Amino acid sequence: MAERELQEQLAARGLELLGSCDRLSQRPGLMEQSALLRDFTPAEADLLGANMQLVRARPGQLLIAEDEASDWMMLLLRGTVDVGKRRIAASDTDEASEVTRLAVLKEGATLGEMSMLDGEPRYASCWALSEVEAAVLSRVAVGRLITSQPAVGAKLLVKITQLLAQRLRNTSSQLVKAIQKAAEPPPA
């Protein structure tokens, strides 16, 4: 996705475009809070930020739509985001009450890494619970970073892979607990 196409997609979502995300390392506490940035030097984080688009969303605004095809991810810089999934039996006409909350994410969290990497439709939806600022990274920008700064690009891909592996471990643990609970005999 070209930079202009990304900006058009974000604007169509109703997100306020604020330019590139320069001086990412200067955001108070972000380098320590963000699992994505934790191993980056300030210079590397600033290089990454220069390749990201800064956006702002209002409370209640949809950031990422379930089943939408797109190839970008977000780094939450400020605010709180609700992550939810339509119930499996739910149809497109069901009310919002048919959404199961998966997580509430705060500053430093990442959203949308899977679709950014594989281009597949989004697994869940994300809504701003408060005013949100986020840095948006496209697959094209990652490719550009890998070409121009291979060490930073490699570090970014390793960090994203680690984040996805941790999410898979957490999901597997939750699945095992649910299966064990379902297998327990009912109380007498």
Side-chain angles (χ1 to χ4, degrees):
M1 172 183 296
E3 204 67 30
R4 183 148 176 82
E5 289 178 57
L6 173 63
Q7 291 173 349
E8 289 172 3
Q9 188 178 33
L10 297 171
R13 167 83 58 231
L15 299 171
E16 182 182 353
L17 302 173
L18 303 173
S20 70
C21 194
D22 295 325
R23 296 181 300 282
L24 193 59
S25 68
Q26 300 303 308
R27 291 187 167 259
L30 183 64
M31 298 287 290
E32 298 78 25
Q33 289 174 325
S34 176
L36 180 69
L37 298 177
R38 203 167 286 137
D39 295 333
F40 281 76
T41 67
E44 291 169 335
D46 290 345
L47 185 62
L48 178 60
N51 284 281
M52 301 173 93
Q53 292 291 312
L54 182 61
V55 297
R56 183 179 298 138
R58 298 173 312 280
Q61 190 168 1
L62 183 66
L63 302 170
I64 292 176
E66 183 176 343
D67 295 329
E68 169 185 78
S70 55
D71 61 355
W72 49 268
M73 63 175 272
M74 290 182 158
L75 171 62
L76 189 55
L77 303 175
R78 185 172 57 88
T80 307
V81 171
D82 192 8
V83 181
K85 173 117 180 101
R86 283 193 313 265
R87 294 184 192 210
I88 292 176
S91 70
D92 289 336
T93 60
D94 286 338
E95 298 293 318
S97 63
E98 292 299 318
V99 172
T100 300
R101 176 178 276 170
L102 300 176
V104 174
L105 302 176
K106 299 194 181 296
E107 291 90 352
T110 55
L111 326 163
E113 310 93 319
M114 287 192 310
S115 292
M116 191 267 300
L117 289 174
D118 68 11
E120 292 294 316
R122 302 289 187 178
Y123 177 76
S125 294
C126 301
W127 297 269
L129 290 174
S130 63
E131 185 172 283
V132 163
E133 280 188 7
V136 178
L137 180 66
S138 69
R139 187 180 322 143
V140 167
V142 172
R144 218 176 24 244
L145 193 59
I146 289 169
T147 302
S148 66
Q149 298 288 326
V152 176
K155 187 182 274 191
L156 174 64
L157 291 178
V158 166
K159 291 305 292 182
I160 291 172
T161 303
Q162 289 172 338
L163 292 172
L164 291 173
Q166 185 60 49
R167 285 196 188 147
L168 179 58
R169 287 179 191 280
N170 292 343
T171 301
S172 296
S173 177
Q174 290 174 350
L175 178 61
V176 167
K177 288 177 186 175
I179 290 171
Q180 290 172 340
K181 184 176 182 181
E184 290 175 4

